Amino acid sequence: MAAVPKPSKSKQTENIRPKLDEFTQEEIAEKLREAQESHKPIFISAWKREPFKGEVIELDGQTQRIHIRRGYDDTLKIPFKDILKVDDPGE
């Protein structure tokens, strides 16, 4: 029976979610709350996803997911810990 090689270090590091400091997490949460209250679209960069534009429709505290509407019938539910950056469309 042939030995199976271990996965390379580069492959292992690709699957590690970037750690955000507490200040950055609070800043992201505040921007998400403001976007939800104002019903304005925002740009979101999330782990293992292409950046996209959408409207925050719900901040689900129980599941720690953000519900984001990208179109008329297209809603994403993204874990809060996967969100890396939130920007206003005007920035």
Side-chain angles (χ1 to χ4, degrees):
M1 186 166 167
V4 177
K6 291 184 178 180
S8 68
K9 292 282 184 186
S10 64
K11 291 257 183 196
Q12 291 175 350
T13 57
E14 287 178 9
N15 292 325
I16 297 174
R17 181 183 294 111
K19 299 277 186 192
L20 300 177
D21 63 0
E22 196 171 318
F23 177 76
T24 305
Q25 288 178 348
E26 288 176 15
E27 194 175 68
I28 289 172
E30 183 61 30
K31 286 182 179 181
L32 290 170
R33 277 192 293 274
E34 287 175 9
Q36 182 187 20
E37 291 171 3
S38 66
H39 302 286
K40 292 185 179 177
I42 54 174
F43 283 113
I44 298 172
S45 298
W47 184 60
K48 288 197 167 185
R49 291 183 183 263
E50 292 291 323
F52 62 91
K53 183 178 178 181
E55 179 185 340
V56 178
I57 54 175
E58 184 179 351
L59 302 171
D60 191 346
Q62 275 197 319
T63 62
Q64 298 291 308
R65 291 182 183 268
I66 313 303
H67 299 223
I68 302 163
R69 182 182 302 133
R70 292 196 305 175
Y72 177 73
D73 198 25
D74 184 16
T75 301
L76 296 174
K77 297 177 184 177
I78 300 177
F80 177 76
K81 61 186 176 183
D82 284 357
I83 297 177
L84 305 174
K85 187 177 179 185
V86 175
D87 288 318
D88 291 329
E91 288 185 2

